[in-house]
Amino acid sequence: MSFTMICRGSLLLLLLTGLVSADPAKRLSDERPNFIIMLMDDMGYGDLGVMGEPNRETPNLDQMARDGVLYPEFYTGAAICSPSRAAMLTGRLPVRNGFYSTNNFGHNAYTPQEIVGGISDDEILLPELLKKAGYTTALVGKWHLGHRPQYHPMDHGFDTWFGAPNCHFGPYDDKETPNIPVYRDRNMMGRYFEDFQIDRKSGESNYTRLLADEAVSFLQSQVNASAPFFLLWTPDASHAPHYASKEFLGKSRRGLYGDAMMELDHSVGRILNALRDNNMTNTLVFFSSDNGAALVDKGHGGSNGRLLCGKQTTFEGGFRVPTIAWWPGQAAPGTVSHQVGTQMDLFTTFTQLAGQPIPDDRVVDGIDLTENLRDGSITDRSVFFYRGDLLMAARVGHYKSHIWTFTTPPEELGNGTDHCPGMSIANLTTPEQINRTDTPVVIDLSRDPGEMYQLPTYTDEYQTEVNKMYKVITDHVTDMVKGRPALDWCDQAVMNWSPSGCEALNDCLTPPKSDPYRCYWPH
């Protein structure tokens, strides 16, 4: 009898006796990695010790970088929370997946609780693909892709959810504006400032600890599971108003924001230790932030280090975010990768590693980072910087070309809001929207990540890079099919008045009469 026949007979016997699953997804489960995304909120490029923060108050994240891969050239999909999260989970730019508004030309939009829209059923989200591949999926933390029932995470690929649909703004009076609910799966289990307290005066709240407890509990529930898992962990204590548990209050040299950072760092350590302690290190973990630091916090929030401007802008401080990958046994520890990455790449990378095909009926903007993680291979790719549905800039190679410039509109500056405080660069940090398509502002980011020095227009270097950029942008916009805008309409009646489960808590509120209006986006 041949060796091949023996092997076939042995495999058939194993299948018949149940020792090997006939289901390909289950058969691959021990080989395929688990996935975790730790997505912070408004955490800046310069907020980690490993990225140069001088107080060195993030020892767990710094160690994660030493044990994994540090990506100093990694971008989010948008410079504001909701569109960036939609981009990450769909692998597509917000202008494609509909997370933008046409109400204010070249302005950002997001999902406050008066928003009518949310993530479209036509979009395919990462957890949906992973669930199809046999993964168990969990969201712990902030969602922010729509708070009305049809937009909830459990209808878009997640098996379980503990967290809130919106940010922790408030407290509200529950009359003109309801407080934000916190959900356990499909039903609310309380509201911020009522059942989940945040002391606005002291900043004390145990909510980050609860989110860390939930993440660790989920991991422990997966120890003996036959299927791999995907956990999306999205705490928001680094978003104003900042908060931290009592044991972290007053511990940081950076004030309340630093206290929140220290607790988030501690929570990262807890999650990674849970993986180690339970022999679950075949897990690819990405740590990142949804956008750059919000400089409107005026020194009480995060830092973007040497990068220009902050959240809301298409400068590096708005889009480039601290990013670390951790994958023991696969990604070489202590690596600094100069791969230009985006959070949309997580969609493609995780889907491919899970053995699922990338959807071929739509444009997917993410690339597969698997080989980069394993052997450092670099893939050339361009990055596009949108504000709303307006293409403001493009990175081609290590050059960035600004075809529109815009920071903070004059009316916002008059109200004390400034997305580029103390930063003034001629022809670049303009408070008005200026079209520079004919003579783009070109920066060499390899020499000047702070975007301080513009290439002189008379040089051969400038002309060469502008010509490359024109071709890349022409190809990009020629093939662009914009999604239907989901963030145009608001209505006070759709706020979190009576979320599912409110009856059992005797916490249903009466909404006002529906009166839709076009949302106004000042940024």
Side-chain angles (χ1 to χ4, degrees):
M1 184 180 294
S2 70
F3 177 75
T4 302
M5 292 179 66
I6 292 172
C7 289
R8 286 177 178 171
S10 299
L11 179 57
L12 178 60
L13 179 62
L14 288 171
L15 286 170
L16 290 173
T17 57
L19 295 178
V20 176
S21 173
D23 183 339
K26 292 182 179 178
R27 194 166 65 242
L28 288 171
S29 64
D30 289 338
E31 302 169 11
R32 296 177 301 170
N34 307 303
F35 302 119
I36 298 178
I37 298 175
M38 302 176 177
L39 189 69
M40 304 299 106
D41 206 327
D42 289 5
M43 188 177 288
Y45 189 79
D47 277 336
L48 309 185
V50 72
M51 300 300 290
E53 201 287 311
N55 295 297
R56 304 286 170 165
E57 294 177 342
T58 54
N60 292 289
L61 284 162
D62 298 347
Q63 186 62 51
M64 182 182 179
R66 287 191 289 270
D67 292 340
V69 181
L70 181 67
Y71 285 96
E73 298 182 70
F74 215 87
Y75 294 94
T76 185
I80 187 171
C81 45
S82 300
S84 73
R85 292 163 192 261
M88 182 185 73
L89 290 180
T90 63
R92 288 155 51 81
L93 288 163
V95 70
R96 299 192 204 275
N97 64 41
F99 255 62
Y100 67 95
S101 171
T102 59
N103 294 351
N104 304 69
F105 178 73
H107 283 61
N108 292 313
Y110 70 111
T111 54
Q113 63 166 321
E114 59 267 28
I115 199 75
V116 171
I119 194 67
S120 171
D121 283 338
D122 293 331
E123 291 298 319
I124 302 173
L125 274 62
L126 175 60
E128 293 177 294
L129 289 176
L130 295 180
K131 191 172 179 179
K132 186 177 180 180
Y135 278 67
T136 300
T137 59
L139 169 62
V140 176
K142 175 178 166 182
W143 174 234
H144 228 200
L145 297 187
H147 62 273
R148 298 174 70 197
Q150 63 267 41
Y151 304 124
H152 278 196
M154 295 188 68
D155 288 316
H156 292 275
F158 285 102
D159 295 315
T160 61
W161 176 33
F162 175 80
N166 307 89
C167 209
H168 59 278
F169 294 138
Y172 298 116
D173 61 8
D174 284 341
K175 295 178 181 178
E176 293 186 3
T177 304
N179 277 311
I180 306 296
V182 174
Y183 280 81
R184 168 76 69 188
D185 298 334
R186 295 186 181 277
N187 292 316
M188 69 173 285
M189 55 185 303
R191 297 181 188 266
Y192 283 130
F193 300 96
E194 297 170 9
D195 310 283
F196 296 87
Q197 297 180 5
I198 301 174
D199 189 320
R200 288 295 298 269
K201 184 176 181 180
S202 68
E204 182 179 347
S205 173
N206 67 354
Y207 192 62
T208 296
R209 189 180 73 230
L210 292 178
L211 295 179
D213 289 345
E214 287 289 328
V216 171
S217 177
F218 171 76
L219 295 179
Q220 290 171 341
S221 74
Q222 300 303 302
V223 170
N224 295 315
S226 59
F229 65 80
F230 167 53
L231 168 64
L232 176 58
W233 188 65
T234 58
D236 66 355
S238 46
H239 188 299
H242 312 298
Y243 60 85
S245 301
K246 185 175 182 178
E247 55 266 40
F248 291 94
L249 286 178
K251 297 296 175 62
S252 170
R253 296 184 65 192
R254 299 181 64 191
L256 182 55
Y257 180 83
D259 296 341
M261 281 289 305
M262 291 180 75
E263 183 168 16
L264 291 169
D265 175 80
H266 176 76
S267 301
V268 169
R270 287 186 61 194
I271 292 171
L272 295 182
N273 283 336
L275 294 174
R276 295 187 188 99
D277 294 344
N278 292 294
N279 195 29
M280 301 168 74
T281 55
N282 183 26
T283 301
L284 173 54
V285 183
F286 263 89
F287 174 95
S288 197
S289 176
D290 63 350
N291 45 248
L295 302 186
V296 295
D297 290 342
K298 301 178 180 179
H300 296 286
S303 167
N304 291 317
R306 64 180 298 187
L307 302 183
L308 182 64
C309 299
K311 178 181 178 180
Q312 305 285 8
T313 75
T314 51
F315 301 108
E316 293 293 286
F319 268 77
R320 196 187 292 208
V321 287
T323 303
I324 303 168
W326 183 89
W327 194 11
Q330 297 285 344
T335 301
V336 177
S337 176
H338 293 291
Q339 172 67 55
V340 177
T342 77
Q343 289 173 359
M344 293 175 287
D345 300 341
L346 305 187
F347 176 94
T348 305
T349 304
F350 289 11
T351 299
Q352 295 283 69
L353 284 168
Q356 281 292 108
I358 303 299
D360 60 4
D361 62 342
R362 64 199 64 210
V363 173
V364 172
D365 296 291
I367 65 171
D368 187 355
L369 297 177
T370 304
E371 295 309 311
N372 172 262
L373 287 162
R374 285 176 167 156
D375 62 23
S377 306
I378 299 295
T379 300
D380 291 332
R381 62 97 60 82
S382 300
V383 178
F384 301 97
F385 302 80
Y386 279 83
R387 191 159 176 169
D389 63 342
L390 175 63
L391 180 60
M392 301 276 294
R395 173 172 174 164
V396 181
H398 51 84
Y399 291 90
K400 184 176 180 181
S401 299
H402 294 270
I403 55 177
W404 282 81
T405 56
F406 178 37
T407 56
T408 313
E411 60 270 25
E412 288 291 285
L413 290 171
N415 294 330
T417 297
D418 190 350
H419 303 303
C420 299
M423 305 173 191
S424 179
I425 299 178
N427 302 320
L428 196 58
T429 55
T430 59
E432 296 86 13
Q433 296 171 338
I434 298 180
N435 187 344
R436 302 187 183 278
T437 306
D438 292 338
T439 311
V441 175
V442 181
I443 310 287
D444 179 357
L445 293 175
S446 64
R447 292 179 285 182
D448 178 26
E451 299 176 279
M452 296 177 61
Y453 306 106
Q454 302 160 29
L455 295 188
T457 58
Y458 57 80
T459 62
D460 291 340
E461 182 183 18
Y462 176 88
Q463 197 58 56
T464 297
E465 296 309 320
V466 165
N467 288 338
K468 288 181 184 176
M469 179 273 299
Y470 280 147
K471 183 180 186 311
V472 168
I473 288 183
T474 299
D475 291 344
H476 175 71
V477 299
T478 298
D479 295 335
M480 174 59 66
V481 177
K482 293 184 177 182
R484 182 179 179 181
L487 308 181
D488 277 350
W489 290 95
C490 288
D491 188 344
Q492 302 296 312
V494 305
M495 295 197 292
N496 293 286
W497 299 102
S498 297
S500 176
C502 67
E503 298 89 351
L505 300 175
N506 194 27
D507 196 5
C508 300
L509 305 173
T510 303
K513 182 180 178 181
S514 178
D515 184 18
Y517 59 93
R518 286 195 171 270
C519 311
Y520 174 68
W521 306 111
H523 28 258

